[in-house]
Amino acid sequence: RVQLVDSGGGSVQAGDSLTLSCTASGDTLGSSNCMGWFRQAPGKEREGVARILTAGTTTYYADSVKGRFAISQDLSRNIMTLQMNGLKPDDTAMYYCATSTRGCTYAGFVTGNWNNWGQGTQVTVSS
């Protein structure tokens, strides 16, 4: 079973950038069909942020991050990243990487469709 490790979170000011990374052990990210990032703010449900087709470059984004966040993957390095620009206080949350054996279209941002999760990395954006 693949184990995901996400990292790169931190405390930043509004407008700053951060890059989150996700690596895998026990298996490779390439064993999935879709990879993605979710986030969960205190008192709120976990929500999808971005996802990417493992075998290609097709990406999907939540409306709230379109134009600011960019998801990418490098299977040769067994890593997935989330470049976050123009961060806002509303982006403050615990961020989780995840993989799904379902295709990206079917998996959507429905948490129940995702098989493996990282432990989370905290992103805090102050105004």
Side-chain angles (χ1 to χ4, degrees):
R1 182 184 176 94
V2 62
Q3 293 179 311
L4 305 178
V5 178
D6 34 34
S7 61
S11 296
V12 297
Q13 297 288 320
D16 285 352
S17 298
L18 277 175
T19 301
L20 306 184
S21 297
C22 178
T23 58
S25 63
D27 202 344
T28 65
L29 291 173
S31 66
S32 65
N33 287 317
C34 189
M35 302 184 286
W37 289 93
F38 290 72
R39 67 186 181 186
Q40 187 167 18
K44 295 186 177 181
E45 293 188 354
R46 191 169 297 188
E47 62 176 2
V49 174
R51 65 190 193 272
I52 184 169
L53 190 65
T54 301
T57 57
T58 303
T59 56
Y60 307 79
Y61 295 95
D63 288 343
S64 58
V65 306
K66 280 181 182 176
R68 299 188 298 122
F69 290 12
I71 186 172
S72 62
Q73 48 94 338
D74 185 345
L75 296 183
S76 67
R77 297 172 57 211
N78 200 32
I79 190 170
M80 173 179 61
T81 61
L82 183 68
Q83 176 65 43
M84 305 186 295
N85 300 320
L87 283 163
K88 305 175 181 179
D90 284 348
D91 295 319
T92 295
M94 185 73 78
Y95 283 71
Y96 300 88
C97 65
T99 62
S100 175
T101 53
R102 292 176 170 87
C104 275
T105 300
Y106 184 81
F109 285 135
V110 179
T111 56
N113 289 337
W114 294 75
N115 310 96
N116 299 294
W117 295 86
Q119 82 285 358
T121 184
Q122 178 68 37
V123 173
T124 302
V125 185
S126 56
S127 57

